[in-house]
Amino acid sequence: MKLILLGAPGAGKGTQSAKISEKWNIPAVSTGDMLRAAVKEGTEQGLSAKAYMDAGKLVPDEVVIGIIKEYLSSDKCKNGFILDGFPRSIPQAEALDAMGVKIDAVLSIEVEDEKIIERMSGRRICSSCGASYHVVYNPPKKADVCDACSSALYIRDDDAAETVIKRLNTYHEITEPLKGYYEKKGILVCAKGMEKVEDTTANVFEALEKVEA
Ligand code: AMP
């Protein structure tokens, strides 16, 4: 299965992409994670991306398209993949089409803006493996420590309230039109994002099982 996950920042794309990856045994890639890794490593790409990310803006298309092109040409994507956070604009979707990549389904996780703002304030990320938690809805077993790798959890710079609002505006303006783009192609499916992770997962699996059938 070749899958794209759409949804506002904080809709739960990262969490659900890990669940889908496990169930369908396909790799998941997040352009946000790749960019954060580049920032951490201090590469030229990372340094130029950081200013955009901290301002709640999208990183220029050519940077992310380059990253994704390289990733999709790797062997591990042969039998399918999940793209979390790419494409995020119509030109990025057109670039993916131009690569000759045939997508089976585009899953949009739908959550209202007010819920997103509430959620982002509680989000915690693992500094080592990137796993995502929430202090109320998906807490780690031990406070501020990753269940998977025991590394410290941190709050992303771009989860600050004013940046979240900017990121939501960017989502509505630039990313949300992708729903129409993929609806026209007949491959858009939607799942309602719920308060509890497992309830969202149930909705996501139900939507994807219909695609498979
Ligand atoms: P995410 O982890 O998906 O929320 O991404 C964090 C930030 O990385 C975004 O707010 C953007 O600044 C940047 N980013 C991630 N994916 C893309 C993309 N496909 N196009 C442009 N910028 C991106």
Side-chain angles (χ1 to χ4, degrees), residues 196-207:
K196 288 202 182 127
V197 169
E198 55 270 32
D199 292 340
T200 306
T201 305
N203 289 348
V204 163
F205 284 3
E206 193 188 331

Side-chain angles (χ1 to χ4, degrees), residues 91-185:
Q92 290 181 17
E94 289 170 344
L96 193 60
D97 289 344
M99 287 176 217
V101 178
K102 174 122 184 34
I103 299 296
D104 298 302
V106 177
L107 174 77
S108 172
I109 304 178
E110 308 274 324
V111 180
E112 294 112 49
D113 285 6
E114 306 83 79
K115 292 244 170 69
I116 296 274
I117 293 166
E118 185 192 314
R119 275 185 189 187
M120 304 284 259
S121 61
R123 181 150 81 165
R124 301 289 181 273
I125 308 291
C126 174
S127 53
S128 174
C129 74
S132 178
Y133 298 89
H134 189 282
V135 290
V136 179
Y137 303 124
N138 180 28
K141 291 195 183 89
K142 192 173 161 206
D144 297 323
V145 175
C146 179
D147 290 351
C149 71
S150 303
S151 301
L153 304 184
Y154 76 105
I155 302 174
R156 269 169 53 173
D157 289 346
D158 59 352
D159 279 350
E162 64 277 17
T163 313
V164 168
I165 292 167
K166 283 190 200 140
R167 291 168 68 202
L168 276 172
N169 290 339
T170 305
Y171 169 74
H172 291 305
E173 244 174 72
I174 302 174
T175 307
E176 211 170 18
L178 286 174
K179 282 164 64 179
Y181 182 88
Y182 288 117
E183 195 169 23
K184 272 194 206 132
K185 291 181 185 280

Side-chain angles (χ1 to χ4, degrees), residues 2-6 81-87 93 96 103-108 178 182 187:
K2 294 179 176 162
L3 187 67
I4 288 171
L5 285 192
L6 278 184
F81 51 77
I82 307 159
L83 296 181
D84 160 10
F86 184 93
L96 193 60
I103 299 296
D104 298 302
V106 177
L107 174 77
S108 172
L178 286 174
Y182 288 117
I187 54 172

Side-chain angles (χ1 to χ4, degrees), residues 9-10 13 30-33 35-36 49 52-54 56-61 64 84-89 92 123 156 158 167:
K13 298 189 297 296
S30 149
T31 40
D33 283 351
L35 290 167
R36 277 184 289 281
Y52 293 96
M53 294 168 81
D54 287 351
K57 290 186 185 160
L58 292 183
V59 172
D61 286 340
V64 274
D84 160 10
F86 184 93
R88 243 177 162 109
S89 67
Q92 290 181 17
R123 181 150 81 165
R156 269 169 53 173
D158 59 352
R167 291 168 68 202

